[in-house]
Amino acid sequence: MASCSVAPKEAESEHTAIPNWVALPRDITANILLRLDTIEIVTSVRYVCPLWWNIFKDPLMWRNVQMTSLGDFYEQAIEICEYAIKQSCGHLENIFIDGFATDDLLQFIADNASNLRGLVLINCHGISDEGFCQAVKKLPLLEALNILWFNLSKDSLEVVGQCCPLLTILVFARSGSNCIIDGGLDDEAFVIAKTMVGLRDLKIPGNSLTNAGLLAILAGCPHLEILDIRACYNLHLDESLKKKCIDQIKDLLLPEPVYDDYWDDDRVTYLDSVIDDDSYDPYD
């Protein structure tokens, strides 16, 4: 019988050896580090070793700033965010901020990130319409905008449409918007239809638009491929309007009825009948 060239203990040692992360090629290390939250990078990760410190001297490592896992650093969040933006030296392309942005910070972003392509703002109640409008006028290359769970008016949307001609993605969900407004309100829908002709992806769950607003969007945004109008309960979709949506939109999420008289005898909603899947949950 042939003898094994590696002793059992040596084989086990090789199998369980801790990988030498410092020995990884620099580009692979950089690719891994890019996936971390900016708070972690600024406060700890870049201090791990000289290699990682040097990697983060490259402005291109700060093209994406993600400020979500604030932890114990909430009070320093704005300072850390501004530091990261400065490190990008104008190369910032995408920024994701959850919960702490203000008018001043947004203005700082606009003044130092003229190449910004993507902006995500969540629960940023410190941002006003005036501050938002002043900042977005300086971001003509913006392609994707997410505004979630804080209230900006149709005026802010109009400035976006007028000043960001490359915009293809808009997510706009107001704080406390998931309700039925008597008679509906189409102001925001009309602004989107009039000023955002290049949209391909529109998500406005909980919006107060009516059938008139939806028809305006379908006509004014001919390139639209994705449309999310869940919880838009002022819509009353007849078969003709449903068919128009289905024919024009590849990925369509419709509002699910909330009233008993929307159910048929088999307890199937009109949304179920559209997609032919009774088990579908649009909020999953």
Side-chain angles (χ1 to χ4, degrees):
M1 180 182 296
S3 60
C4 180
S5 59
V6 180
K9 289 186 177 180
E10 292 177 341
E12 181 179 355
S13 176
E14 289 182 4
H15 183 71
T16 60
I18 299 174
N20 184 2
W21 296 106
V22 178
L24 285 173
R26 184 186 178 95
D27 59 337
I28 294 178
T29 301
N31 186 278
I32 294 172
L33 296 178
L34 279 172
R35 304 169 193 273
L36 300 175
D37 192 278
T38 303
I39 292 284
E40 297 174 318
I41 293 171
V42 173
T43 60
S44 60
V45 171
R46 63 192 180 125
Y47 296 107
V48 167
C49 63
L51 173 63
W52 291 11
W53 176 267
N54 285 320
I55 285 176
F56 283 110
K57 286 183 178 180
D58 183 354
L60 296 181
M61 289 295 294
W62 304 88
R63 284 175 298 179
N64 301 305
V65 170
Q66 181 167 313
M67 301 285 296
T68 55
S69 304
L70 303 184
D72 296 330
F73 296 96
Y74 183 84
E75 296 297 328
Q76 295 82 39
I78 291 179
E79 181 182 353
I80 292 172
C81 187
E82 290 182 349
Y83 173 84
I85 294 168
K86 288 179 181 177
Q87 294 299 110
S88 74
C89 298
H91 292 284
L92 183 65
E93 295 181 0
N94 300 284
I95 187 164
F96 188 125
I97 299 177
D98 187 354
F100 66 89
T102 63
D103 286 346
D104 288 341
L105 177 59
L106 201 56
Q107 189 62 52
F108 185 88
I109 294 170
D111 289 338
N112 293 274
S114 58
N115 291 312
L116 197 69
R117 262 67 171 180
L119 174 62
V120 179
L121 301 169
I122 301 176
N123 285 315
C124 295
H125 299 281
I127 295 177
S128 67
D129 275 301
E130 182 181 1
F132 180 85
C133 291
Q134 289 179 355
V136 82
K137 290 176 181 178
K138 299 180 180 181
L139 301 173
L141 300 183
L142 204 62
E143 298 174 3
L145 174 64
N146 290 34
I147 302 173
L148 299 173
W149 317 135
F150 67 101
N151 293 329
L152 292 178
S153 74
K154 68 177 181 65
D155 296 332
S156 289
L157 285 181
E158 189 167 15
V159 172
V160 171
Q162 293 171 344
C163 300
C164 305
L166 301 181
L167 195 74
T168 59
I169 299 172
L170 174 66
V171 181
F172 186 70
R174 286 163 152 274
S175 177
S177 62
N178 292 339
C179 61
I180 299 177
I181 297 176
D182 187 24
L185 189 64
D186 287 309
D187 289 0
E188 293 165 359
F190 289 155
V191 165
I192 291 170
K194 182 180 179 181
T195 65
M196 303 182 186
V197 65
L199 280 184
R200 297 185 179 275
D201 182 345
L202 175 63
K203 298 180 176 68
I204 48 173
N207 195 273
S208 60
L209 84 165
T210 68
N211 288 15
L214 177 56
L215 284 168
I217 288 174
L218 293 176
C221 306
H223 306 292
L224 206 58
E225 299 177 354
I226 301 171
L227 178 61
D228 182 350
I229 47 175
R230 290 177 292 180
C232 295
Y233 293 129
N234 287 289
L235 290 170
H236 302 286
L237 304 181
D238 56 24
E239 292 302 319
S240 175
L241 185 49
K242 275 194 296 183
K243 184 177 186 304
K244 186 175 183 63
C245 290
I246 294 169
D247 289 345
Q248 182 171 336
I249 308 299
K250 293 180 180 179
D251 189 349
L252 177 66
L253 292 173
L254 296 172
E256 185 175 11
V258 293
Y259 301 119
D260 288 342
D261 58 358
Y262 277 89
W263 298 84
D264 63 20
D265 293 338
D266 296 323
R267 307 294 287 174
V268 178
T269 69
Y270 76 79
L271 173 59
D272 291 324
S273 67
V274 169
I275 61 174
D276 194 27
D277 182 357
D278 294 355
S279 65
Y280 177 76
D281 180 359
Y283 298 96
D284 186 9

